[in-house]
Amino acid sequence: MKKDIHPDYHAITVIMTDGHTYQTRSTYGKAGDTLRLEIDPTSHPAWTGGQQRMLDTGGQLARFNKRFANLGLKA
């Protein structure tokens, strides 16, 4: 294996949005650094299955629903 081409792989502390912390190994920062997450799997709708809200700007959603009401789609 070639020397001095790989990044340093060391232990860091990760802090989730709810304050929960854990140790992991990463190439982020220096040994002992802390990575504070703003978005994580415990709070983000993409991972928790949260529902998105559709904004009805200018009645576009209402016109769409009216036009395609007979297709049996629920908005």
Side-chain angles (χ1 to χ4, degrees):
M1 187 167 22
K2 292 183 182 179
K3 293 184 181 201
D4 300 326
I5 65 167
H6 299 285
D8 182 32
Y9 191 61
H10 49 268
I12 64 167
T13 302
V14 177
I15 302 176
M16 307 291 262
T17 56
D18 63 357
H20 179 78
T21 63
Y22 67 92
Q23 294 284 324
T24 189
R25 292 180 50 87
S26 175
T27 58
Y28 172 82
K30 297 175 284 193
D33 276 356
T34 301
L35 176 62
R36 185 177 299 273
L37 299 179
E38 295 176 8
I39 299 173
D40 65 37
T42 61
S43 63
H44 195 276
W47 290 288
T48 59
Q51 298 294 320
Q52 292 180 341
R53 294 185 180 170
M54 299 179 90
L55 297 177
D56 191 5
T57 305
Q60 291 179 355
L61 184 59
R63 284 196 310 269
F64 177 86
N65 288 336
K66 182 178 178 183
R67 180 180 291 169
F68 297 106
N70 294 333
L71 294 178
L73 300 174
K74 300 286 182 185

